[in-house]
Amino acid sequence: MADVVEKGVSEDKPVEPVPENTYTIRPNFMHKYRPATAKEAIHVVLNEMLAEKQYDAEETTAWCKEISSEIKEKLKALGLDRYKYIVQVVIGEQRGEGVKMGCRCFWDSDTDNYAQDIFMNDSLFCVAAAFGVFHY
């Protein structure tokens, strides 16, 4: 009796199994956004990039872009695949005045979170906030 070959299947190429669908609606415990880890990453970036800087109104826009990009890269390096990151950086002149900042977010409190850190020297202050939002 002759061997039967299925239609469309070559004898040279084995049939690969089709992987089952995986629907992840929550990250597992080891892959959750951790504010303490994110805050440490933000702190390192702010200290590296602003340690020797003096406030300059012309340069602050570029500094904010550079700092936010660097923070986002550090957060991506944590390996939390399904998270999207939003990084907000504000730099202002240090004049001894008080500043209040606030934000509102509509998110899933089980999976999403944020971290922030503040850098200050004699001439400037910088507030950086990084939001981690789980992508369903």
Side-chain angles (χ1 to χ4, degrees):
M1 184 182 248
D3 291 273
V4 178
V5 177
E6 290 183 30
K7 190 175 189 178
V9 177
S10 169
E11 290 179 6
D12 299 336
K13 198 176 202 182
V15 178
E16 294 182 25
V18 177
E20 292 185 29
N21 290 332
T22 58
Y23 299 101
T24 305
I25 59 170
R26 296 273 187 262
N28 66 25
F29 183 74
M30 297 303 294
H31 290 96
K32 279 184 99 170
Y33 183 85
R34 306 231 184 268
T37 307
K39 182 175 178 143
E40 184 179 320
I42 295 168
H43 185 77
V44 167
V45 171
L46 292 181
N47 283 326
E48 284 177 359
M49 298 188 86
L50 295 174
E52 302 299 321
K53 304 257 189 211
Q54 296 296 315
Y55 181 80
D56 183 358
E58 307 269 329
E59 296 291 325
T60 54
T61 303
W63 293 346
C64 286
K65 288 179 183 178
E66 290 172 15
I67 291 168
S68 61
S69 294
E70 186 66 27
I71 290 171
K72 192 163 51 169
E73 291 304 316
K74 290 252 188 207
L75 293 175
K76 285 181 180 180
L78 295 176
L80 305 175
D81 298 335
R82 301 277 304 266
Y83 276 90
K84 304 293 180 189
Y85 300 107
I86 302 156
V87 179
Q88 179 183 20
V89 177
V90 177
I91 297 176
E93 187 173 9
Q94 182 73 278
R95 292 184 175 179
E97 299 170 351
V99 175
K100 291 191 182 222
M101 296 178 65
C103 73
R104 281 192 181 169
C105 300
F106 182 70
W107 62 21
D108 185 349
S109 60
D110 291 335
T111 60
D112 307 335
N113 217 326
Y114 79 99
Q116 69 176 10
D117 198 30
I118 300 168
F119 175 87
M120 292 190 330
N121 65 17
D122 292 340
S123 70
L124 64 85
F125 69 90
C126 178
V127 179
F131 302 88
V133 181
F134 187 75
H135 182 65
Y136 295 100

